[in-house]
Amino acid sequence: MTTKDRQLSVNRRPFNEGVLTTDQGIPVQDTDNSLRAGARGPSLLEDFHLREKIMRFDHERIPERVVHARGTGAHGVFKVYEPLDEYTTADFLTDPDAETPVFVRFSTVQGSRGSSDTPRDVRGFATKFYTRQGNFDLVGNNMPVFFIQDGIKFPDLVHALKPEPQNEMPQAASAHDSFWDFVTLQPETMHHVIWLMSDRAIPRSFRMMQGFGVHTFRLVNGQGRSTFVKFHWTPVLGTHSLVWDEAQKIAGKDPDYNRRDLWEAINSGQFPSWELGLQLIPENRAFEFEDIDILDPTKIIPEELVPVTPVGRLTLNRNPDNFFAETEQVAFCVGNVVPGIDFTDDPLLQARLFSYLDTQLNRFGGANFFQLPINRAIAPIRNHQQDGFQQHEVPVGRANYFPNSLGGDQPTPAGPAGFVHYPEHVDGPKERKRSETFADHYSQATLFWNSMSSWEKEHIIAAYRFELGKVESMPIRVRLVEHLNRVDHDLAIAVALGIGVEEPVKSIDNHGRSSPALSQANSQRESVLSRKIAVLVGDGVDARIVTSLRDTLTERGAIVELLAPVDGTITTSDGLPMEVTRAMQTMSSVLYDAIVVPDGAPDLAMDGLAVNYAAEAFKHGKAVGAFGTGLGLLQRAQIPLTTAPADPALIAYDEWTPDFATEFTKALAAHRNFDRDIDAVPA
Ligand code: HDD
């Protein structure tokens, strides 16, 4: 149990215990009938239980977050590997014995609170570290750059991105005119937009996405020396994505897809984990990078220039007890930093320092939201701030000011032991002006494009085509192609071809640089941990083989579900009943990472739904396996069983052998085979 957990336990109240009472603790006689003047008469105003119950219901909602409204969270711990005293005094980064409690909230950006988990969107990755020196909030995203360079453009960006004002459409989608109008008029967005068009925008799982602090921050050590830093979270399970067709279908089949995935993984003890990595840049190297101003949040510092040093491990190990109390009420503020961590002059970061505190006042209706159990620091809070809506504490004493003699002059400022702002020297005229060093908007979009594998490039082209295909204004489409032409000529042509825009004339040469770390094709592909497999079964399958397959995959950490035409049991080849997990109708191939069709139930090949499971899984690049009569189903799904070169994710055996499980595991770990030819498969 962490310190935070112990602190939270004071506020836990079981839902299901004892006698029903009012909010005043008065036992309730009957909660099904209001107090009436006669059984058929009018309700009486004096019915305090009725009034309270309805009043409480009427007031259940608080304003949803203006962005990142849809999200889910979990508790966990962070541990640093080695003391980082050389760079920072932050206690949680210098004491390898310290297990710092954390709460992490993942989110989408555009959609409202009830929207689906899988739109094409940026994902938020916000971490509250409850350190012994107070709360540190690292409020990042799963993409390392941002759309705009100055926070003053944030309202414009968000207005353009969110549903349009005249009809509140489309929900949770960037594929509409106002978004593309804005971004094509604001070319600093081009780098982030190409990330948004990549598969990064449709993560397979929150557990399989990176996180980034985006801005350059500062670490400050005991001698007052500052080092610029960029924060990276790298998922132990690798960085993996869905495909767009799949993401759209999941939005209907299971809008809670990512939320459920996190919840189930934690409940089943498969605790998701990320490594914290730092890119450390000594002050005197800040101007060393050609074309990159470290204060510009639309730029990365490629790992080839500054490597990412792994420094610690985050593990999420406990689901919240209550969604509203914890996940909805958690209030992140970018301004929450601890001694040893400080800000930089990145103009996006500077605006965020205002916005987060301000928005929490709107969400909570007052300044005491820091007292809510989920937001409360584990460090002692002592000051002379007071009163306001919802004061939960009872401050005792009379000296509510400083200095004072009536209270022993306490609490006393800590002096140099407190948070000392880094004494950065600043000098300049007041002016509304952007630095010339922020002027390059294309070369890192090109870097990203160049770093993609061929299938990633195909997915990006398809995404631009999809999005711009929904844009009604032709001039906006044309403008986008003009911008892409400055990123890469071939990309511009490919997109233009798909959206009815004339091929542009080549205007610039691609600089040819790439950064392999940017490609998801280079991510970890060894583990099948928590991968979900649907085994399609029907009457006649061999129980021994199905059980052996299931056991082998389960032992390796995968989750195997047996799906049959109807729920309940099937009759296996030895005439005995075998319990299935669910009926095929209640699920869908898009909710699984892989499909297996075993021998013994040839009738399944005549079941359109079963055939669709296989066809769709194949279309989405997933591992598809079959043996014996199972092959017949793949044939009906028009899956080419005799492709050359062999498809490593198509495991087709004439009969069962234990090798099948081994080969299938390999294919599953590889996540997807996007190199297969899927165009002919109808799904
Ligand atoms: Fe923001 C929420 C991430 C720029 C203003 N933002 C919010 C959340 C995340 C981010 C993850 C959800 C926090 C949660 O789970 O409660 N935002 C970012 C990143 C940015 C960024 C990585 C750029 C690097 N944001 C940004 C700017 C502004 C805001 C420039 C305003 C000037 N963001 C907000 C906000 C939100 C928010 C309006 C809405 C709800 C909240 O803060 O708590 O204040």
Side-chain angles (χ1 to χ4, degrees), residues 65-68 105 107 124-126 139-141 146 148 151 154 212-215 297 330 332 348 351-352 355-356 359-360 363:
R65 290 167 175 84
V66 59
V67 280
H68 296 262
R105 182 173 178 272
S107 49
F125 190 142
V139 193
N141 280 340
F146 202 65
I148 45 169
F154 192 68
F212 302 92
V214 181
H215 312 283
V330 67
F332 292 94
L348 191 76
R352 293 180 77 194
S355 186
Y356 287 71
T359 208
Q360 309 310 351
R363 291 207 304 133

Side-chain angles (χ1 to χ4, degrees), residues 18 254 272 319 326 629 667 670:
D254 184 6
N319 278 316
E326 300 178 87
T629 59

Side-chain angles (χ1 to χ4, degrees), residues 76-355:
V77 291
F78 174 80
K79 258 187 127 165
V80 70
Y81 297 147
E82 301 288 339
L84 294 172
D85 308 73
E86 190 188 339
Y87 301 103
T88 180
T89 53
D91 172 70
F92 78 106
L93 291 174
T94 53
D95 179 2
D97 293 329
E99 258 204 351
T100 303
V102 298
F103 187 79
V104 175
R105 182 173 178 272
F106 301 107
S107 49
T108 55
V109 178
Q110 312 157 20
S112 1
R113 203 182 137 187
S115 57
S116 82
D117 277 350
T118 57
R120 175 171 298 285
D121 200 355
V122 182
R123 298 298 185 282
F125 190 142
T127 309
K128 193 179 276 295
F129 296 82
Y130 305 95
T131 89
R132 294 180 297 209
Q133 294 169 301
N135 289 349
F136 168 50
D137 291 356
L138 182 58
V139 193
N141 280 340
N142 74 330
M143 300 179 191
V145 287
F146 202 65
F147 294 100
I148 45 169
Q149 295 173 321
D150 187 326
I152 201 166
K153 296 302 299 166
F154 192 68
D156 298 301
L157 166 73
V158 175
H159 290 175
L161 177 62
K162 283 264 189 177
E164 297 192 8
Q166 71 284 13
N167 53 15
E168 220 189 26
M169 292 197 285
Q171 178 58 241
S174 50
H176 59 110
D177 282 58
S178 63
F179 175 70
W180 289 96
D181 187 29
F182 176 78
V183 296
T184 53
L185 293 170
Q186 195 78 32
E188 71 203 57
T189 57
M190 284 302 132
H191 186 198
H192 196 176
V193 167
I194 196 167
W195 279 81
L196 186 65
M197 293 303 108
S198 79
D199 292 353
R200 302 284 183 144
I202 38 174
R204 154 68 180 84
S205 160
F206 292 133
R207 302 174 294 128
M208 298 173 198
M209 67 181 201
Q210 286 179 285
F212 302 92
V214 181
H215 312 283
T216 302
F217 288 85
R218 261 178 215 285
L219 295 181
V220 184
N221 74 3
Q223 289 74 50
R225 182 168 58 85
S226 132
T227 307
F228 291 118
V229 65
K230 281 192 176 273
F231 294 101
H232 294 242
W233 292 117
T234 305
V236 171
L237 293 177
T239 308
H240 302 297
S241 292
L242 303 168
V243 293
W244 181 227
D245 177 63
E246 184 187 17
Q248 292 175 84
K249 288 172 177 163
I250 291 174
K253 299 276 183 186
D254 184 6
D256 305 311
Y257 181 74
N258 288 143
R259 175 182 285 200
R260 188 184 311 285
D261 167 272
L262 184 70
W263 176 266
E264 287 180 352
I266 293 176
N267 270 357
S268 68
Q270 291 193 338
F271 299 143
S273 192
W274 289 259
E275 189 157 65
L276 179 67
L278 304 181
Q279 280 184 300
L280 294 159
I281 306 142
E283 284 246 19
N284 57 10
R285 285 194 58 200
F287 295 102
E288 246 178 43
F289 311 106
E290 202 189 329
D291 301 336
I292 306 170
D293 187 326
I294 62 164
L295 300 184
D296 176 356
T298 67
K299 303 286 189 312
I300 59 162
I301 302 175
E303 293 186 23
E304 291 71 28
L305 298 182
V306 180
V308 177
T309 311
V311 299
R313 176 66 72 104
L314 162 75
T315 307
L316 298 182
N317 54 18
R318 192 168 71 76
N319 278 316
D321 290 304
N322 183 278
F323 186 91
F324 181 84
E326 300 178 87
T327 308
E328 194 56 19
Q329 293 203 113
V330 67
F332 292 94
C333 292
V334 179
N336 291 349
V337 286
V338 290
I341 300 181
D342 212 330
F343 314 115
T344 59
D345 300 332
D346 171 344
L348 191 76
L349 173 59
Q350 295 280 321
R352 293 180 77 194
L353 295 178
F354 167 71
S355 186

